[in-house]
Amino acid sequence: PAPPPAGRPGRLRRAGAAIRRTLPASALAALSGVALAFAFPPYGLWPLSLLAVAALALLVRGGGAGRASWLGFAFAFPFFLVLLAWLHVIGWDATIGLAAVQAAFFLALGPALAAVSRLPGWPLWGACLWVAQEWARDRIPFGGFPWGRLAFANTDSPFTPLAALGGAPLVTFAVALCGSLLAAALLAARRLREAPRPAAAGPAAWAVRGLVLPAGLGVAVLLAGFAVPVPSAADETVRIAVVQGNVQQPGMNFLGRPMMILENHVAATAELAADVRAGRTPRPDLVIWPENASDLDPYTEPEARAAIDGAVRDIGVPVLVGALVDYPHKEGYVENQGIVWDPVKGPGASYTKQHPVPFGEYVPFREQLSKVITRLQRVPRDFYPGDHTGVLQVGPARLGDVICFEVAYDQIVRDTVNAGARALVIQTNNATYGNTGQPQQQLAMSKLRAVEHGRAIVTAATSGISAVVGPDGTIRQETKEFTRDVLTAELPLRDDRTLSDRLGPGPEWVLAIVGLVSCAAAYLLGRRARKEGKGQL
């Protein structure tokens, strides 16, 4: 047999040695990523987000680009695997695949954090890089997937009010900065313990320079949100009812037989109407049904239209109906709509979901991928995206309709508020992911959006969690999952816009650009230092 190529045993030994050297750090990175996942709902241990950011900063600090890239991935992959475990309803291969795609962004974040760690003021630059990473992940591929932003783990923390100033990106920046300052304080504490103190510097000077400064700044960042006012006074109120009709079962086959979900919501609305006639509850000004409350197109299916018409006339006020509607201009497409249904005039203005979920509501490269991944055939028709915001006049209220996962996208929600929405409605159908923690994660986003835009938010879900969130981000009412229920509430309507709405995406762009520029500066300074070192040799 031919001898093995020269050098191969040496390369294998070096690779094995590299793996052994990074094994402890990789294990710590993975553990830190899992800890970050537990900062999010349904666990909600938000302080873990600070510890996770600090851990990643310390693990990659001073290392080479390759090592830092691997540690970034080792941190992020288990983080997303735990965070997105609810996707196992579709298949663990889908969970693993999406986790790997999202973790790939940390292949760049790791070495970027390592590079800026050599600069003065590195916690600031590192926090900006966290924003840059989220900026990219929120947009690519296929329009991005914003799940797992640091801001969404901090909807009940001292950082939350900062959303009113700079939106979710500013909350992420503050969390990342606080975590990075914690890492700097830990490094300083270790140096104070290990390094001899020169006679010229007393203990107090060393403490101020090495430990108290980053620790003090970290506490200041942590408490800064308490200084931000969160206005919540209503200009007007409107009485609403939110109908949660429930579904047959959780999972992929939640629909049951045709018309079942629609009949559930019709029945729940009939019970509400009976309570109103009996004087047990005041008549609402409007009623909100969830996404996909009608699984049949009410414009083309007479039975569905008659059922909705009957329910709306029974309650006697406008109903915002979630329905799947055949796209009229191209065969094979469907629209995910919220339709204002009047008890006299019938269906009127509507909003079509602008950001369908890839591989869930439409299949990119359908012809090629469906041959390889037969499960994609369970998405028989692609959803056609809408082209305008969902500001709808529903009875006496001008509401902004946002459908399901769209609540995770900054621009869609911001555009809706800036277009005149006085309160927001999140029509959603989480029945596929019921009892998995996903509804709690989505509800946390609603809480942050309420503070960010100074708007009350109504979440209407087929199977839960339906909720009413005040403009200050507090949950005023909520339902249990997989129960039929009706919420009634006085919904505050507001007109004032927050500073976040006025600034738009500006803060995110500035923070992301600062992070990228600092990374470039670190690279150039490092390259010059290496050249100078070679010159001295």
Side-chain angles (χ1 to χ4, degrees), residues 505-516:
E508 182 180 31
W509 279 92
V510 169
L511 292 170
I513 290 171
V514 168
L516 295 175

Side-chain angles (χ1 to χ4, degrees), residues 68-448:
S69 185
W70 161 249
L71 291 176
F73 186 84
F75 171 92
F77 181 68
F79 161 54
F80 284 110
L81 199 61
V82 175
L83 180 74
L84 304 176
W86 44 266
L87 200 59
H88 80 274
V89 175
I90 295 177
W92 278 108
D93 55 341
T95 309
I96 293 169
L98 183 56
V101 169
Q102 296 301 300
F105 289 88
F106 285 71
L107 292 169
L109 179 63
L113 291 174
V116 300
S117 70
R118 301 179 178 90
L119 297 176
W122 62 268
L124 176 63
W125 320 129
C128 291
L129 285 170
W130 272 92
V131 176
Q133 170 265 139
E134 290 187 357
W135 178 93
R137 199 162 54 78
D138 297 352
R139 289 164 172 81
I140 53 176
F142 306 117
F145 187 68
W147 236 261
R149 300 167 74 177
L150 293 179
F152 294 152
N154 284 269
T155 61
D156 274 319
S157 78
F159 300 103
T160 309
L162 296 173
L165 300 181
L170 184 61
V171 177
T172 285
F173 170 76
V175 174
L177 179 58
C178 197
S180 300
L181 288 167
L182 173 60
L186 293 173
L187 286 171
R190 187 180 68 179
R191 294 193 192 103
L192 282 172
R193 187 177 64 250
E194 296 176 354
R197 297 173 180 172
W206 270 85
V208 169
R209 183 169 60 190
L211 179 58
V212 173
L213 184 59
L217 288 174
V219 172
V221 173
L222 177 64
L223 301 179
F226 290 111
V228 178
V230 180
S232 58
D235 295 312
E236 294 181 60
T237 62
V238 63
R239 186 161 188 81
I240 65 164
V242 183
V243 175
Q244 178 177 298
N246 206 9
V247 300
Q248 181 182 25
Q249 61 188 355
M252 291 291 290
N253 300 313
F254 69 88
L255 281 174
R257 60 172 174 78
M259 288 282 293
M260 175 174 284
I261 293 179
L262 176 55
E263 289 169 357
N264 288 349
H265 287 82
V266 168
T269 305
E271 292 171 5
L272 172 63
D275 287 341
V276 169
R277 286 191 293 269
R280 289 186 292 267
T281 188
R283 182 180 299 277
D285 297 311
L286 60 96
V287 175
I288 300 171
W289 284 8
E291 176 190 26
N292 303 158
S294 177
D295 55 323
L296 299 179
D297 184 349
Y299 296 109
T300 60
E301 299 289 340
E303 187 179 4
R305 182 173 186 133
I308 297 171
D309 246 342
V312 176
R313 286 197 303 269
D314 192 17
I315 191 61
V317 298
V319 178
L320 181 61
V321 176
L324 296 179
V325 175
D326 294 332
Y327 182 61
H329 305 300
K330 194 172 184 179
E331 188 177 355
Y333 285 83
V334 66
E335 293 178 307
N336 191 350
Q337 287 191 350
I339 307 168
V340 180
W341 208 288
D342 186 85
V344 177
K345 300 177 182 178
S350 64
Y351 166 67
T352 300
K353 186 176 184 181
Q354 300 174 72
H355 199 301
V357 178
F359 302 104
E361 295 177 327
Y362 77 97
V363 179
F365 312 111
R366 174 183 287 274
E367 184 177 351
Q368 296 79 13
L369 291 179
S370 295
K371 297 175 182 177
V372 180
I373 309 173
T374 56
R375 189 187 308 151
L376 295 177
Q377 296 171 8
R378 300 185 71 172
V379 185
R381 295 190 294 173
D382 289 340
F383 282 42
Y384 202 89
D387 58 4
H388 60 270
T389 60
V391 178
L392 301 169
Q393 189 70 37
V394 187
R398 190 167 66 249
L399 303 179
D401 193 14
V402 176
I403 296 180
C404 201
F405 280 21
E406 289 185 326
V407 69
Y409 294 88
D410 294 349
Q411 193 67 44
I412 290 176
V413 185
R414 184 188 301 117
D415 287 349
T416 304
V417 172
N418 285 335
R422 306 184 75 195
L424 293 169
V425 174
I426 313 298
Q427 291 183 293
T428 188
N429 177 12
N430 293 323
T432 300
Y433 308 113
N435 296 325
T436 65
Q438 186 271 351
Q440 288 89 343
Q441 292 176 7
Q442 188 173 319
L443 181 58
M445 298 177 194
S446 294
K447 292 166 62 177
L448 186 77

